[in-house]
Amino acid sequence: MNNIPFPLEVITEDEKKYSPDYVRISAASAMALRLKSGRFARDFAFGGINLLLNYDNGCLSDCSYCGLARTRPGDYEEKSFIRVEWPLYSTDEVIERIARYAPQMTRLCISMVTHGSAYRDTLDITRRITEKVDTPLSLLVAPPVLNREKLQTLKDAGADMIGVGLDAVSKETFFKNRTDVPNGSLSWDNYWDVIYASRDIYGPWKVNVHTVVGLGETDWDMIDIFYHLYEREIFPYLFCFNPEPDSRMGEAPKPGITRWRRIQLVKHLIEHYGLEREKIKFDEQGRMIGLEMPSGKLKEVIETLDSGIPFMTDGCPGEDGEVGCTRPYGSYRPTESYRDFPFRPEEDDLTIIRRELKLEEFLM
Ligand code: SF4
């Protein structure tokens, strides 16, 4: 693996190369494919490759928290997305690298942006990928450019899972951050139509919804959407708001660490231990204030906490069923502690997590 020359030539801004022949890939993906030098702060296996469509006018949506938002200052080419850099490469060369490193690859994903060519180009790139490699492929879709027929065509072309970046989990926060913005107009109903259509077409546990903590929602909103999705055999994936400089929320604070850790823990308990809604206590503002735990259940909480699993990144699985897409640094800066861990947290990490959780105040 190490004697492959790198880097492939990174395409510069002046050359204006667009999808489907060119794609951006996350910096971590570029490192995994030996297209870019660099190391993660800690060593861990990494095989989730994220591709992002590239256009001269970028994404036509304008979400308040997003690095690609239309009215965020700066050239599209220079914008970051979920706070990490996305260098541009030739699509075929990226696929050739993926094929070369196939044994290390766990999950591939094409992220669409809201753009008139996004569906056509995603289909094109999907076909190019599935012709060459068997690694499971997700599509993180842009609902405004899709319908049932197109979702079916993407499945027929070999896409295995659909992700929908709902992000804002209540109608109110969706409107505030994604609809009522200068070049907004994204529709809550359209997002849910695509989520339900994807569930019908792709099947149980083949659809996921990205949910972001920190966009103005209450804890009750978060917990409610988890139940709503699990009941429909759709995965909620959890993300932590991480301010993108110069976006409209560039100065907004991240959610507090205790709130974040408790949401991670409760989500895991709902998913893996069938935690009932009525055991989760909220105050009048919708803040989670406690978990009612019979002593037998308490043991399960401690066990699950000690495993570290609730604090790992949510993401589409690889063929072995383990998380295959771990997006390192999506929710925190390389210099910050991990909000979600792309590997099992170690004992030192768990000591910190326990302190952050303040469990003794949370269990009733
Ligand atoms: S979790 Fe990863 S692979 Fe799955 S849809 Fe989201 S970005 Fe894509």
Side-chain angles (χ1 to χ4, degrees):
M1 184 153 170
N2 280 334
N3 29 6
I4 305 298
F6 69 80
L8 275 186
E9 195 186 356
V10 180
I11 309 299
T12 64
E13 177 186 348
D14 297 329
E15 293 170 77
K16 301 291 183 199
K17 309 277 182 153
Y18 306 125
S19 296
D21 291 330
Y22 292 85
V23 283
R24 300 170 82 178
I25 61 175
S26 69
S29 304
M31 279 158 57
L33 295 175
R34 301 290 187 270
L35 292 169
K36 183 177 165 27
S37 57
R39 294 182 56 129
F40 297 116
R42 284 158 68 167
D43 249 357
F44 56 93
F46 178 81
I49 305 297
N50 298 91
L51 286 65
L52 173 66
L53 299 184
N54 184 62
Y55 300 108
D56 58 342
N57 42 4
C59 183
L60 303 186
S61 298
D62 201 19
C63 307
S64 63
Y65 53 90
C66 182
L68 301 180
R70 213 168 171 201
T71 58
R72 181 184 174 209
D75 229 0
Y76 177 67
E77 306 281 340
E78 288 161 8
K79 289 178 181 176
S80 58
F81 176 49
I82 58 169
R83 279 207 68 115
V84 288
E85 301 308 317
W86 290 70
L88 183 66
Y89 296 98
S90 143
T91 304
D92 290 336
E93 285 179 291
V94 168
I95 295 170
E96 191 272 317
R97 286 285 173 129
I98 291 170
R100 191 182 300 181
Y101 295 120
Q104 284 87 47
M105 298 291 104
T106 50
R107 170 67 57 176
L108 312 176
C109 184
I110 308 170
S111 292
M112 298 170 88
V113 291
T114 309
H115 190 280
S117 306
Y119 164 69
R120 185 196 64 198
D121 296 339
T122 301
L123 180 59
D124 180 313
I125 297 170
T126 296
R127 287 184 174 137
R128 291 192 207 193
I129 289 175
T130 53
E131 262 169 32
K132 293 267 166 60
V133 286
D134 296 328
T135 312
L137 172 67
S138 296
L139 304 177
L140 180 57
V141 300
V145 304
L146 288 178
N147 56 28
R148 275 182 173 267
E149 192 191 337
K150 289 175 179 171
L151 284 163
Q152 181 66 56
T153 307
L154 290 166
K155 183 169 194 277
D156 296 342
D160 162 56
M161 287 187 81
I162 291 291
V164 179
L166 183 72
D167 300 348
V169 299
S170 69
K171 199 167 184 174
E172 192 189 338
T173 52
F174 189 98
F175 183 79
K176 190 169 134 242
N177 293 295
R178 314 198 70 184
T179 308
D180 189 24
V181 287
N183 290 296
S185 82
L186 292 182
S187 149
W188 173 259
D189 290 341
N190 167 241
Y191 267 66
W192 282 99
D193 287 346
V194 167
I195 291 167
Y196 294 139
S198 301
R199 168 64 183 81
D200 286 348
I201 294 164
Y202 286 73
W205 309 118
K206 286 290 184 184
V207 178
N208 69 79
V209 173
H210 290 198
T211 65
V212 178
V213 177
L215 296 181
E217 73 295 321
T218 64
D219 295 342
W220 189 92
D221 295 329
M222 286 307 302
I223 303 301
D224 186 57
I225 201 166
F226 296 158
Y227 281 108
H228 183 85
L229 293 170
Y230 285 133
E231 280 158 16
R232 287 158 182 77
E233 298 172 302
I234 298 171
F235 284 118
Y237 289 162
L238 197 55
F239 291 72
C240 184
F241 167 68
N242 193 24
E244 296 269 7
D246 302 327
S247 66
R248 277 191 304 288
M249 286 186 72
E251 300 297 320
K254 293 176 82 141
I257 190 71
T258 300
R259 177 182 183 217
W260 166 252
R261 292 284 180 232
R262 288 178 178 178
I263 291 174
Q264 283 182 304
L265 178 65
V266 169
K267 176 176 177 290
H268 184 84
L269 291 171
I270 298 170
E271 184 173 348
H272 295 276
Y273 294 93
L275 178 68
E276 299 106 329
R277 263 181 199 257
E278 53 282 7
K279 303 280 188 231
I280 310 168
K281 302 298 169 196
F282 299 90
D283 68 10
E284 280 172 8
Q285 278 78 46
R287 281 184 297 238
M288 206 163 41
I289 50 170
L291 271 190
E292 214 173 61
M293 279 282 146
S295 48
K297 279 268 175 200
L298 191 59
K299 194 164 158 274
E300 284 177 5
V301 175
I302 306 296
E303 275 168 13
T304 191
L305 210 167
D306 288 348
S307 74
I309 294 170
F311 311 102
M312 291 175 67
T313 313
D314 276 334
C316 294
E319 264 160 338
D320 60 1
E322 297 292 312
V323 176
C325 167
T326 53
R327 307 174 305 278
Y329 309 127
S331 292
Y332 46 88
R333 294 177 198 149
T335 51
E336 292 174 330
S337 63
Y338 294 85
R339 286 274 166 148
D340 47 2
F341 288 73
F343 49 83
R344 277 272 186 127
E346 291 163 10
E347 201 39 54
D348 288 354
D349 303 312
L350 286 169
T351 304
I352 297 168
I353 289 170
R354 284 189 200 101
R355 201 181 309 137
E356 292 169 338
L357 265 172
K358 298 189 183 148
L359 205 57
E360 62 295 343
E361 293 168 24
F362 190 48
L363 297 179
M364 293 173 142

